[in-house]
PDB file of all heavy atoms in Angstrom:
ATOM      1  N   VAL A 625     -17.377  18.360   7.320  1.00 93.00           N
ATOM      2  CA  VAL A 625     -18.666  18.744   6.744  1.00 93.00           C
ATOM      3  C   VAL A 625     -18.562  20.207   6.328  1.00 93.00           C
ATOM      4  O   VAL A 625     -18.483  21.102   7.169  1.00 93.00           O
ATOM      5  CB  VAL A 625     -19.812  18.540   7.749  1.00 93.00           C
ATOM      6  CG1 VAL A 625     -21.136  18.982   7.134  1.00 93.00           C
ATOM      7  CG2 VAL A 625     -19.892  17.085   8.180  1.00 93.00           C
ATOM      8  N   ASN A 626     -18.557  20.442   5.033  1.00 91.00           N
ATOM      9  CA  ASN A 626     -18.399  21.804   4.531  1.00 91.00           C
ATOM     10  C   ASN A 626     -19.695  22.596   4.599  1.00 91.00           C
ATOM     11  O   ASN A 626     -19.676  23.813   4.820  1.00 91.00           O
ATOM     12  CB  ASN A 626     -17.888  21.779   3.081  1.00 91.00           C
ATOM     13  CG  ASN A 626     -16.469  21.234   2.985  1.00 91.00           C
ATOM     14  OD1 ASN A 626     -15.674  21.405   3.908  1.00 91.00           O
ATOM     15  ND2 ASN A 626     -16.148  20.580   1.880  1.00 91.00           N
ATOM     16  N   GLU A 627     -20.839  21.943   4.410  1.00 92.00           N
ATOM     17  CA  GLU A 627     -22.130  22.635   4.420  1.00 92.00           C
ATOM     18  C   GLU A 627     -23.181  21.742   5.070  1.00 92.00           C
ATOM     19  O   GLU A 627     -23.131  20.526   4.963  1.00 92.00           O
ATOM     20  CB  GLU A 627     -22.585  22.988   2.993  1.00 92.00           C
ATOM     21  CG  GLU A 627     -21.683  23.960   2.260  1.00 92.00           C
ATOM     22  CD  GLU A 627     -22.173  24.244   0.848  1.00 92.00           C
ATOM     23  OE1 GLU A 627     -23.331  23.877   0.542  1.00 92.00           O
ATOM     24  OE2 GLU A 627     -21.400  24.810   0.058  1.00 92.00           O
ATOM     25  N   GLY A 628     -24.155  22.385   5.757  1.00 91.00           N
ATOM     26  CA  GLY A 628     -25.317  21.664   6.274  1.00 91.00           C
ATOM     27  C   GLY A 628     -25.302  21.379   7.748  1.00 91.00           C
ATOM     28  O   GLY A 628     -26.296  20.880   8.292  1.00 91.00           O
ATOM     29  N   LEU A 629     -24.200  21.683   8.449  1.00 92.00           N
ATOM     30  CA  LEU A 629     -24.113  21.343   9.861  1.00 92.00           C
ATOM     31  C   LEU A 629     -23.317  22.422  10.578  1.00 92.00           C
ATOM     32  O   LEU A 629     -22.338  22.966  10.034  1.00 92.00           O
ATOM     33  CB  LEU A 629     -23.433  19.984  10.041  1.00 92.00           C
ATOM     34  CG  LEU A 629     -23.600  19.284  11.386  1.00 92.00           C
ATOM     35  CD1 LEU A 629     -25.069  18.962  11.639  1.00 92.00           C
ATOM     36  CD2 LEU A 629     -22.761  18.010  11.427  1.00 92.00           C
ATOM     37  N   GLN A 630     -23.745  22.726  11.821  1.00 91.00           N
ATOM     38  CA  GLN A 630     -23.084  23.724  12.643  1.00 91.00           C
ATOM     39  C   GLN A 630     -22.349  23.036  13.788  1.00 91.00           C
ATOM     40  O   GLN A 630     -22.745  21.956  14.251  1.00 91.00           O
ATOM     41  CB  GLN A 630     -24.106  24.723  13.209  1.00 91.00           C
ATOM     42  CG  GLN A 630     -24.860  25.506  12.157  1.00 91.00           C
ATOM     43  CD  GLN A 630     -23.953  26.404  11.342  1.00 91.00           C
ATOM     44  OE1 GLN A 630     -23.009  26.986  11.881  1.00 91.00           O
ATOM     45  NE2 GLN A 630     -24.237  26.539  10.053  1.00 91.00           N
ATOM     46  N   SER A 631     -21.313  23.698  14.243  1.00 91.00           N
ATOM     47  CA  SER A 631     -20.566  23.164  15.377  1.00 91.00           C
ATOM     48  C   SER A 631     -21.467  23.103  16.606  1.00 91.00           C
ATOM     49  O   SER A 631     -22.245  24.023  16.873  1.00 91.00           O
ATOM     50  CB  SER A 631     -19.338  24.034  15.647  1.00 91.00           C
ATOM     51  OG  SER A 631     -18.651  23.593  16.797  1.00 91.00           O
ATOM     52  N   GLY A 632     -21.381  22.022  17.378  1.00 92.00           N
ATOM     53  CA  GLY A 632     -22.173  21.855  18.588  1.00 92.00           C
ATOM     54  C   GLY A 632     -23.437  21.048  18.384  1.00 92.00           C
ATOM     55  O   GLY A 632     -24.031  20.575  19.364  1.00 92.00           O
ATOM     56  N   GLU A 633     -23.905  20.892  17.154  1.00 94.00           N
ATOM     57  CA  GLU A 633     -25.091  20.087  16.915  1.00 94.00           C
ATOM     58  C   GLU A 633     -24.771  18.613  17.152  1.00 94.00           C
ATOM     59  O   GLU A 633     -23.646  18.160  16.937  1.00 94.00           O
ATOM     60  CB  GLU A 633     -25.615  20.292  15.492  1.00 94.00           C
ATOM     61  CG  GLU A 633     -26.200  21.680  15.248  1.00 94.00           C
ATOM     62  CD  GLU A 633     -26.900  21.784  13.911  1.00 94.00           C
ATOM     63  OE1 GLU A 633     -26.195  21.764  12.880  1.00 94.00           O
ATOM     64  OE2 GLU A 633     -28.131  21.863  13.900  1.00 94.00           O
ATOM     65  N   THR A 634     -25.799  17.885  17.585  1.00 94.00           N
ATOM     66  CA  THR A 634     -25.635  16.474  17.927  1.00 94.00           C
ATOM     67  C   THR A 634     -26.109  15.607  16.773  1.00 94.00           C
ATOM     68  O   THR A 634     -27.212  15.813  16.248  1.00 94.00           O
ATOM     69  CB  THR A 634     -26.430  16.128  19.189  1.00 94.00           C
ATOM     70  OG1 THR A 634     -25.995  16.980  20.257  1.00 94.00           O
ATOM     71  CG2 THR A 634     -26.219  14.676  19.586  1.00 94.00           C
TER      72      THR A 634
END
Side-chain angles (χ1 to χ4, degrees):
V625 179
N626 293 329
E627 296 179 13
L629 197 63
Q630 299 296 323
S631 176
E633 291 189 290
T634 303

